[in-house]
Amino acid sequence: MGPITYSLCHREIIGLAMWITGLCAFPPLIPATEISIREAGLVLSTKFTAPVDKSYLLSLRFVFSSTETRIKDNLVGERYSGNYCTGNIQYDAIPQQERSGLGLPISFKVVMRTEPGSDLVFEQTFNSLCYVAHATNDKYRDVGRFGLNEGVYRIEVYNLQPQPAFGDIKVEMSLDSGDRK
């Protein structure tokens, strides 16, 4: 999707028709890519193109071996709390009695550079906490949202603390447009 199509998607009548027909959806900038968070360090480094100026969402997908293991899971979490899941709150700042069901915090440092040239666009640490959705054997979490201008970029994502407890859970990371139907 280019800038013209994107702007048409936000018009009243034509935008609605375009959303209904699927013309306003575009694939993830970075498709679901398997990563390992069992060790600290670089988990993702890839080049991608942002087709339009907007906010994009870096997210995690946790794939469980069965629906039963997803239901029993307490690592990813089982609830969402607007007080603690949005923004970049530190886990230790959450009162102990309010931590139940939020899952384990996972900290990532995201470094974004332009391509070519490798000019630093931003470097930020995000604390992923709380699940946001689930499917049959999957759970999802947001890592962070950030605005990008149209262009070509390289993203580097670093897991800041080893998470060995996630050993039996497949973890994938993707960068999406953030427009959900």
Side-chain angles (χ1 to χ4, degrees), residues 1 19 31 49 60 73 89 100 120 140 142-143 167 176:
M1 173 187 312
W19 277 101
T49 301
L60 296 169
D73 166 68
I89 193 164
S100 176
L120 184 66
Y140 296 87
D142 295 343
V143 173
D176 303 296

Side-chain angles (χ1 to χ4, degrees), residues 60-79:
L60 296 169
R61 175 180 174 220
F62 300 88
V63 181
F64 296 87
S65 59
S66 69
T67 302
E68 182 180 334
T69 56
R70 178 192 52 85
I71 292 170
K72 290 181 180 179
D73 166 68
N74 61 4
L75 298 174
V76 178
E78 64 209 28
R79 73 181 182 92

Side-chain angles (χ1 to χ4, degrees), residues 34-91:
E34 189 169 352
I35 64 169
S36 174
I37 58 174
R38 286 177 231 128
E39 308 276 332
L42 183 66
V43 295
L44 179 69
S45 176
T46 192
K47 183 173 145 180
F48 69 93
T49 301
V52 296
D53 300 357
K54 72 178 300 301
S55 173
Y56 294 94
L57 177 66
L58 187 63
S59 60
L60 296 169
R61 175 180 174 220
F62 300 88
V63 181
F64 296 87
S65 59
S66 69
T67 302
E68 182 180 334
T69 56
R70 178 192 52 85
I71 292 170
K72 290 181 180 179
D73 166 68
N74 61 4
L75 298 174
V76 178
E78 64 209 28
R79 73 181 182 92
Y80 182 87
S81 170
N83 296 332
Y84 307 117
C85 300
T86 57
N88 211 12
I89 193 164
Q90 294 296 317
Y91 189 71

Side-chain angles (χ1 to χ4, degrees), residues 97-166:
Q97 67 274 17
E98 307 236 2
R99 293 180 188 173
S100 176
L102 296 181
L104 293 178
I106 305 172
S107 297
F108 294 100
K109 180 172 83 170
V110 177
V111 179
M112 191 73 65
R113 299 180 187 281
T114 60
E115 284 285 325
S118 296
D119 294 331
L120 184 66
V121 175
F122 75 84
E123 181 175 327
Q124 185 174 346
T125 298
F126 294 98
N127 296 311
S128 177
L129 184 63
C130 309
Y131 104 114
V132 294
H134 72 269
T136 305
N137 293 341
D138 307 339
K139 284 186 179 180
Y140 296 87
R141 266 195 190 184
D142 295 343
V143 173
R145 181 176 290 282
F146 39 84
L148 294 174
N149 294 324
E150 179 181 355
V152 181
Y153 297 91
R154 172 159 298 279
I155 188 171
E156 296 172 354
V157 182
Y158 297 87
N159 179 30
L160 297 180
Q161 295 184 348
Q163 302 285 345
F166 286 88

